[in-house]
Amino acid sequence: MSADKNEILARARELGVKFIRLQFTDITGVLKNVAITVEQLEKALDGELMFDGSSIHGFVRIEESDMYLRPDPNTFVVFPWRPRDGAVARLICDIYNPDGTPFAGCPRNALKRVLARAQRLGFTMNVGPECEFFLFYTDSEGRPTLRTHDRAGYFDLSPVDMGENARRSMVLTLEEMGFEIEASHHEVAPGQHEIDFKYSDALDVADKIITFKFVVRTIAQRHGLHATFMPKPIFGINGSGMHMHQSLFRDGQNVFYDPHDPLGLSDIARYYIGGLLRHARALAAVTSPTVNSYKRLVPGYEAPVYISWAERNRSPLIRVPAKRGASTRIELRCPDPSCNPYLAIAACLAAGLDGIEKKIEPPPPCNFNIYELSPEERCKFGIGSLPASLEEALKELAADEVIKGALGEHIYERFREAKQKEWDEYRTQVCPWEIEQYLGKF
Ligand code: GLU
Ligand code: MG
């Protein structure tokens, strides 16, 4: 259902909205916003509001800094935790150039571009994310610590799960904002949680992921906790992933399903898997884009390491959940919640479409525990590994025209520059592990 300008103006009036936050993300997926008063809303909805893009990560140079925000009326929602009197609402925006063309550095535009390509082939994409996060105590100055509030484990209940109250209020708030929450539970590690919302079309889900992270952090803070989507905050326990369930539809039908196939999977589904596997090493730079992401992608913590797929078991990169019919989908397990969801979904779709267009057959499914294979056996089965570091992933990305194409040249160049800098800064740090190993020894 798409809303129009007059509807939004009327709803803002009815709900007593005073402030509207115009939101968008920079290339690293960080949510930005500028607040306007309701008096400016009509002008904003007409796309007439300008901002200085030169201070935003990966946007533009100072001499070409005037950018226009075009709010998407479908994203209008009131923040339930703000006062009802003088309420605060938000709109997610696309960024436009002064000449009225879509700005190439806007991640939401990049996703729209790949979705339009899929649409030309007759496909729409559905995505269902599984967002995991940690809740930590803050110190007396409000800074996050690494102390968790509980000792609970997978699916545990209170009283061990002291984050339950915070999680409950996150779920209620998200529901008030139009999310359909399917499940919420304690995850495997102490202090780790997961809240799953219903799958939806790709653009809506990308908007929901950025909203989700912002809401979870806001509500955690109100419970004296810090929510982090950092992929691997603590060595030796599970990290946080954001597995992405993906399917393609055509004329309202799930085209991943084929009742006549022994696995119930269509050729399109298999080729889509083939495309994801072929581009996995470059894709990782976008779905797992931080130095820390690669501390998660190691054996032993339910995160993927090897490039393969399976029907049920959770060790490979791609799992095909048992459901068939309209729910047929594949689950990609490398993304983590530090990614920019617009870019990550755009890159996945581009990889999948490449598989479909080139009819890339995936290797046979790997229905055994890959972690039990020797390196020689993995080699025999043709099972490669995900990059072991951000540096390795960036090299793969530089060589992959399909994934680079999904980002577009502007975003790719800024992304590469920012991520190379991140890697170089990290590479020269001296970390506690080194001190422990070497200070006494040499
Ligand atoms: N936390 C795990 C990861 O990093 C996933 C656990 C699960 O299967 O839900 O991907
Ligand atoms: Mg999970």
Side-chain angles (χ1 to χ4, degrees), residues 130 132 187 192 194 238-241 243 296 301-303 314 333:
E130 291 178 26
E132 297 177 334
E187 252 301 339
Q192 195 186 25
E194 176 172 322
N238 271 22
S240 293
H243 307 166
R296 167 181 166 254
Y301 303 99
E302 299 184 276
R314 285 159 196 264
R333 293 174 64 85

Side-chain angles (χ1 to χ4, degrees), residues 255-258 261 265-273 355-356 359-362:
V255 294
F256 277 7
Y257 180 51
D258 178 356
D261 177 74
L265 291 178
S266 66
D267 287 348
I268 290 179
R270 280 204 329 281
Y271 298 149
Y272 192 94
I273 293 172
I356 294 170
K359 297 193 176 359
I360 302 174
E361 272 297 344

Side-chain angles (χ1 to χ4, degrees), residues 295-312:
K295 311 274 164 96
R296 167 181 166 254
L297 300 174
V298 297
Y301 303 99
E302 299 184 276
V305 177
Y306 302 114
I307 302 174
S308 62
W309 70 290
E311 285 164 81
R312 255 160 236 159

